[in-house]
Amino acid sequence: MRRRAVLATAILAAVATPGIARAADPGPSVTKKSTIQLDAQAVYFVSYDGLVNNNSFQKNGLLTYKGYQYAAWYTSTKYAVVARRVLGGSTWSTITLSHLLKSDDSHNVISMGVSRVDGRLHLNMDSHSDGFFYVKSVAGLLDNPASTAWTSAVLGAVQTSLDGVALTSQFTYPQFIATPEGKLQLSYRVGISGNGRNALAEYDGSAWTALGEWSSSTGTYTSTHGSSTARNMYLHGIDYDVNGRLHSFFTWREQSAAVMCNSGGITNHDTGYVYSTDRGRSWRNDAGTVVGTTGSSDTVAVTDAGLVVDSLNPDHSLMNQESQATDSTGLPHAIISYVPGRFGQCTTNYVTDRTANGRAFHVRRSSAGTWQKTEIPIALNSSQRTKLILDKYDNAYAILPYGRIAAASKASGYADWALLYDGSDLNAFGEVVVDELRVKADNVLSFMYQEKSSGTTPSALHVVDFALPA
């Protein structure tokens, strides 16, 4: 007994005493588990360099909740469908909605959300600077999936408002976010590219409320080339962390091409960051200063101080709506991408130049409060976007165009980015839709991708799963 007591004391001392090593957390790794086909003939057309079933700003086209995974897409006949499977299972059950995709526009994605307060599934779909379409399931559907038949009866009628709340006639980029209390918020853009505002609505389990706009399109921005007096804030994401803080990275897109060195580029500039401690009612810059109040005349503007965490002029084809995540302590991380200055100081065709020379970067806030940026040393070979997830050890994974997976360890300070999976067996078109909730549910990286095709020939849509470090 004495020997056991001595051994136990030694172990405790090793854990508690600085300078004595203990088992290190594992670094990043991916092990492919399965690829399951959702649809052999999903709708296929390329617009704005993307696909309507696989745009990375589609939050969430694929999600996990209480042991089931849900997916939404458009078929070859352009009907919207929703499917589910037991988590990790090989069989998907599909419900076809009455809604038909109204135009060949890759912005008109389907996004899903979960209101935990009443167990409903919500869908918002088919909108690009015009009216949206909305579906809300019966209460409790997601809380009791095994005992609830998966039929059209569980989904409500297709609406053109949020249960009577119309929001705006110029609606784009729906993103559902669950609040820590289980309410559901909807982030969206009011207006058009280059002249729009971000806004929020909230569902409390009984009704939707429009909270209002929180970013501004006005003010003057001046580059070395010229000025612009209108713009919109493009979000890289909007997410609550483990402490209940709401984070959002963004980039500005100017309306006037006068701010660029060449009209073939893109007017996006700077990576900004704001957060909210009151469920999106007010917004603070990195220093903690309130810079905007939702639904008021004082919203977040390009002229506000302290917003930019990574400065970049409009001459490098910076991408909008890339990706973000928060780690186990609540620190924010983002992926941005652009053409670095070593390849020239003026992009003249943003698609061609990004494909030839674009690189992704990992931007993050350290525990000391400083901002750090690391280039991911892998050519994009695409004009498209990269997704970011963090595993339970806070290792970072970048899911690059074509389903390639790069990763870096927290232990290295995210300095050891390397390619773990080249995606060559997927034949993926480009961007992928990541199940952000599944990583926390069962330690699996799961994403939806569509096979390359040509013209408007339908192609197969799949979900692929990778095990992360246990």
Side-chain angles (χ1 to χ4, degrees):
M1 292 295 293
R2 185 177 183 276
R3 183 182 177 186
R4 290 181 184 175
V6 170
L7 180 59
T9 301
I11 292 172
L12 288 171
V15 171
T17 304
I20 298 180
R22 66 180 196 180
D25 288 340
S29 66
V30 292
T31 304
K32 191 175 180 182
K33 292 162 57 73
S34 65
T35 302
I36 306 295
Q37 182 174 279
L38 283 170
D39 191 337
Q41 298 282 297
V43 69
Y44 186 98
F45 57 84
V46 180
S47 78
Y48 298 96
D49 307 309
L51 302 181
V52 72
N53 286 330
N54 280 92
N55 256 314
S56 68
F57 53 74
Q58 192 176 345
K59 183 186 179 84
N60 297 285
L62 186 68
L63 66 81
T64 291
Y65 188 72
K66 292 195 173 181
Y68 277 70
Q69 189 174 41
Y70 301 82
W73 70 93
Y74 297 102
T75 67
S76 61
T77 56
K78 299 189 178 181
Y79 278 99
V81 298
V82 188
R84 73 175 185 182
R85 66 168 171 170
V86 174
L87 202 58
S90 59
T91 303
W92 289 83
S93 300
T94 302
I95 297 174
T96 302
L97 303 179
S98 61
H99 182 74
L100 275 166
L101 178 67
K102 65 176 183 271
S103 64
D104 287 357
D105 185 333
S106 65
H107 289 75
N108 291 26
V109 300
I110 304 172
S111 293
M112 298 185 290
V114 178
S115 52
R116 296 195 307 271
V117 67
D118 60 358
R120 295 184 194 265
L121 178 67
H122 302 251
L123 291 88
N124 192 297
M125 55 190 169
D126 202 2
S127 180
H128 185 193
S129 301
D130 53 12
F132 62 83
F133 299 86
Y134 169 68
V135 171
K136 181 179 71 176
S137 80
V138 298
L141 172 66
L142 303 189
D143 291 332
N144 304 289
S147 60
T148 307
W150 187 246
T151 67
S152 57
V154 303
L155 298 177
V158 177
Q159 307 177 47
T160 54
S161 69
L162 299 178
D163 294 335
V165 180
L167 298 182
T168 174
S169 61
Q170 291 185 313
F171 179 100
T172 317
Y173 305 127
Q175 296 192 58
F176 288 108
I177 325 108
T179 71
E181 298 81 15
K183 296 178 183 180
L184 185 66
Q185 293 179 322
L186 177 63
S187 167
Y188 59 98
R189 186 185 72 192
V190 178
I192 63 173
S193 177
N195 191 12
R197 288 87 60 203
N198 291 313
L200 287 171
E202 186 173 86
Y203 175 75
D204 64 2
S206 60
W208 281 96
T209 302
L211 301 182
E213 299 173 8
W214 62 271
S215 72
S216 171
S217 59
T218 60
T220 299
Y221 167 79
T222 302
S223 72
T224 57
H225 310 292
S227 297
S228 174
T229 57
R231 70 204 44 82
N232 69 276
M233 176 196 285
Y234 273 115
L235 304 184
H236 291 309
I238 183 165
D239 299 279
Y240 283 98
D241 67 20
V242 294
N243 304 310
R245 176 175 288 191
L246 184 60
H247 302 261
S248 191
F249 287 89
F250 62 87
T251 183
W252 296 106
R253 175 176 293 179
E254 298 301 322
Q255 186 180 67
S256 175
V259 300
M260 295 188 292
C261 60
N262 187 285
S263 61
I266 193 167
T267 61
N268 296 344
H269 63 90
D270 296 321
T271 297
Y273 167 78
V274 288
Y275 70 91
S276 174
T277 57
D278 56 6
R279 307 298 187 258
R281 271 64 175 179
S282 64
W283 296 89
R284 299 173 183 269
N285 64 15
D286 183 47
T289 303
V290 174
V291 288
T293 301
T294 301
S296 77
S297 60
D298 181 18
T299 52
V300 183
V302 72
T303 52
D304 285 328
L307 300 181
V308 176
V309 297
D310 187 69
S311 179
L312 189 71
N313 67 34
D315 297 336
H316 294 274
S317 293
L318 174 68
M319 182 48 67
N320 50 284
Q321 295 165 290
E322 203 109 25
S323 187
Q324 69 172 46
T326 59
D327 66 23
S328 63
T329 65
L331 292 172
H333 298 240
I335 295 289
I336 63 173
S337 65
Y338 58 88
V339 177
R342 65 179 181 274
F343 297 109
Q345 297 297 329
C346 180
T347 57
T348 58
N349 182 304
Y350 85 90
V351 172
T352 300
D353 291 341
R354 282 179 56 83
T355 301
N357 298 312
R359 297 293 187 274
F361 296 81
H362 177 206
V363 178
R364 62 207 178 275
R365 195 177 195 272
S366 74
S367 57
T370 59
W371 288 94
Q372 300 173 334
K373 182 172 73 170
T374 304
E375 179 176 336
I376 300 173
I378 299 163
L380 288 180
N381 298 324
S382 170
S383 64
Q384 296 181 290
R385 301 171 180 89
T386 295
K387 295 294 290 182
L388 172 69
I389 64 113
L390 302 171
D391 68 19
K392 66 181 183 180
Y393 302 106
D394 289 336
N395 298 312
Y397 299 77
I399 302 87
L400 297 149
Y402 316 118
R404 296 168 294 165
I405 304 172
S409 66
K410 178 183 179 181
S412 73
Y414 304 103
D416 57 354
W417 281 98
L419 190 68
L420 302 185
Y421 172 72
D422 69 6
S424 59
D425 58 329
L426 300 182
N427 191 34
F429 167 80
E431 293 180 6
V432 302
V433 173
V434 172
D435 187 337
E436 298 174 2
L437 299 177
R438 187 163 181 194
V439 176
K440 295 181 176 64
D442 70 348
N443 213 39
V444 169
L445 166 59
S446 187
F447 63 80
M448 184 166 66
Y449 70 93
Q450 190 160 352
E451 291 187 21
K452 296 174 186 174
S453 186
S454 61
T456 57
T457 303
S459 67
L461 186 71
H462 305 272
V463 173
V464 60
D465 296 340
F466 297 85
L468 298 176

